[in-house]
Amino acid sequence: MLNYVANANEVILFLVARFRTIRVWLKRDSGQYWPSIYHMVSSACSCMSYHHESRRIFIGQDNGAMSVALLLMCVPAHQGRVSDMVFSLLSQWVVSTGHDKSVSWMCTQSGSMLGRHFFSSWATCLQYDNDTRHAFVGDCSGQITLLKLERDTYSTITTLKGHEGSIAALWWEPVQRWLFSGASDHSVIMWDIGGRQGRTLLLQGHHEKVQALRYLQLTSQLVSCSADGAITVWNMDTPREEAPQWLESDSCQKCEQPFFWNIKQMWDTKTLGLRQHHCRKCGKAICGKCSSKRSTYPVMGFEFQVRMCDDCHSAIKDEDRTSLATFHEGKHNISHMDMDPARGLMVTCGSDRIVKIWDMMQVVDCGIATGLSSR
């Protein structure tokens, strides 16, 4: 497994967790990258965070330890593997999550642990808002917990539920106050935290676990990467619709035929019960005969064909099927991704131990990247 960060000076820092090493790669005059710093640590590395302004490196390890500033300080942060960490220069805190089902925050100036909160399942990923001291923690159960952190205490604000699989990636956009989450259910959800209306947008454009997310504020694009190497660039500058909540019914809401658990209606009508399905556009509970059509509906986030009832399928126009995302092939299992928007560069690495540097090419007027090419 590889973890990395890329800074604005074209220095790539990454680590190979299996071999307990930290390596810094510098770009030479020839245009090639060569390892210039090699450092061993006591335990396999599990995550890394690099802060550009202070030029500090924070490393999480499998034994729960957290090293700060190239191992000048090492503290036992968790009882299990450190899964993610974020450094806040404003508060001088390092917030981290671990497989001991907890999130902790410590002061880098004193090295003291300030607080800890436990969850019911492994904490997998983390984002942090520097201004409000809100932490967003994703876990293996598919939930995202919003915490308000203080120096000696904390409070739980809310829990976001929408994914059907483990949360693998989070990205916080502080200007729009949007939270993006990717999970093992192959989907991405945008949570409008700042809108305070409970608005969520479902984005389905992957066939495998979504493992990395980045939002580009300048072009209003979301870039998501999945385990099968797919890279999807979403146009978030266009009006989108929320996917409806699925309705529950004992019979088809179109033809009124009973579903297989509706014993009374099956007996009264002397018919066999049918299997329940749902229309992705209207959310109604319907049978297979009333939902025989499939269609894309990008304005609701469905970039692939999904089940729809016959009425909704007939109401969709050809222009409603115009894609609001572009799709690219990374050609390796992407486990991590970082970006340098100023240079238009993206870095991906995967379980194949390959690091790729990509050029984000010309952006069209609608805000969708026209292509990606590897260096």
Side-chain angles (χ1 to χ4, degrees):
M1 178 181 174
L2 292 171
N3 287 319
Y4 72 93
V5 292
N7 72 13
N9 296 321
E10 296 189 321
V11 178
I12 299 178
L13 302 99
F14 71 96
L15 55 91
V16 185
R18 180 181 177 184
F19 299 109
R20 302 181 302 169
T21 61
I22 303 165
R23 306 185 188 187
V24 179
W25 293 60
L26 299 177
K27 187 176 183 181
R28 302 298 177 85
D29 294 337
S30 62
Q32 294 182 323
Y33 289 86
W34 292 90
S36 300
I37 299 177
Y38 179 94
H39 192 91
M40 293 287 295
V41 293
S42 59
S43 175
C45 304
S46 57
C47 60
M48 172 187 284
S49 177
Y50 178 75
H51 191 262
H52 297 270
E53 296 178 21
S54 63
R55 301 179 67 86
R56 280 189 260 185
I57 304 172
F58 303 87
I59 302 144
Q61 299 175 235
D62 272 358
N63 62 4
M66 183 169 57
S67 302
V68 184
L70 282 177
L71 309 183
L72 293 180
M73 179 172 65
C74 185
V75 295
H78 295 272
Q79 296 298 316
R81 182 183 188 184
V82 182
S83 57
D84 204 354
M85 58 175 59
V86 175
F87 172 65
S88 171
L89 183 63
L90 182 63
S91 59
Q92 292 292 322
W93 290 358
V94 176
V95 186
S96 61
T97 55
H99 284 186
D100 57 355
K101 304 180 182 180
S102 75
V103 56
S104 66
W105 54 105
M106 60 163 287
C107 177
T108 58
Q109 294 176 322
S110 63
S112 60
M113 191 64 63
L114 301 177
R116 187 183 301 273
H117 172 74
F118 285 93
F119 304 94
S120 59
S121 58
W122 282 359
T124 55
C125 51
L126 167 72
Q127 285 288 281
Y128 182 74
D129 184 77
N130 289 292
D131 296 331
T132 63
R133 292 186 177 180
H134 284 127
F136 305 89
V137 183
D139 60 39
C140 284
S141 70
Q143 297 183 3
I144 303 170
T145 304
L146 172 56
L147 301 171
K148 170 70 172 180
L149 306 184
E150 301 293 348
R151 185 169 184 86
D152 299 317
T153 185
Y154 69 91
S155 57
T156 302
I157 305 301
T158 187
T159 301
L160 306 177
K161 300 178 181 180
H163 286 287
E164 296 179 356
S166 173
I167 308 295
L170 291 174
W171 186 258
W172 172 244
E173 208 298 299
V175 177
Q176 300 287 347
R177 303 195 68 76
W178 291 342
L179 178 69
F180 296 95
S181 59
S184 59
D185 59 5
H186 311 168
S187 67
V188 177
I189 296 180
M190 189 211 81
W191 311 83
D192 189 1
I193 304 297
R196 299 180 181 274
Q197 301 294 323
R199 178 171 174 259
T200 60
L201 296 179
L202 177 66
L203 305 174
Q204 292 190 341
H206 289 279
H207 294 294
E208 287 293 339
K209 178 181 180 180
V210 180
Q211 301 196 125
L213 296 169
R214 290 294 184 275
Y215 180 77
L216 301 175
Q217 183 183 348
L218 184 63
T219 57
S220 300
Q221 294 169 297
L222 174 70
V223 181
S224 57
C225 303
S226 57
D228 59 354
I231 302 172
T232 304
V233 183
W234 305 86
N235 178 16
M236 302 304 297
D237 197 29
T238 186
R240 291 181 177 270
E241 298 178 10
E242 289 188 74
Q245 294 290 328
W246 285 3
L247 302 178
E248 297 298 331
S249 177
D250 293 329
S251 58
C252 176
Q253 294 181 305
K254 294 292 183 179
C255 67
E256 298 184 352
Q257 289 294 309
F259 293 130
F260 63 84
W261 60 82
N262 191 347
I263 305 298
K264 183 178 185 305
Q265 187 175 351
M266 289 167 55
W267 178 266
D268 293 341
T269 58
K270 301 298 188 293
T271 58
L272 292 176
L274 304 176
R275 182 182 176 184
Q276 183 188 64
H277 299 282
H278 286 90
C279 173
R280 299 313 193 265
K281 187 175 184 296
C282 67
K284 290 183 177 180
I286 47 180
C287 66
K289 292 182 179 180
C290 295
S291 59
S292 59
K293 304 294 179 63
R294 304 289 188 277
S295 176
T296 61
Y297 196 50
V299 72
M300 201 171 279
F302 300 118
E303 292 289 340
F304 303 145
Q305 290 193 352
V306 293
R307 181 185 296 272
M308 290 188 181
C309 66
D310 296 342
D311 292 343
C312 289
H313 187 274
S314 301
I316 297 178
K317 302 177 182 179
D318 289 340
E319 53 266 29
D320 295 332
R321 296 184 174 92
T322 302
S323 179
L324 298 177
T326 55
F327 304 91
H328 313 276
E329 180 53 54
K331 297 182 179 179
H332 72 147
N333 180 315
I334 299 176
S335 56
H336 299 273
M337 177 258 292
D338 202 356
M339 290 186 130
D340 184 353
R343 285 186 171 86
L345 296 179
M346 181 175 75
V347 184
T348 60
C349 67
S351 57
D352 54 5
R353 304 181 188 175
I354 294 176
V355 177
K356 292 188 177 183
I357 304 174
W358 302 74
D359 274 332
M360 301 292 295
M361 301 186 66
Q362 183 181 3
V363 180
V364 297
D365 292 339
C366 64
I368 302 177
T370 58
L372 295 169
S373 61
S374 62
R375 280 182 171 180

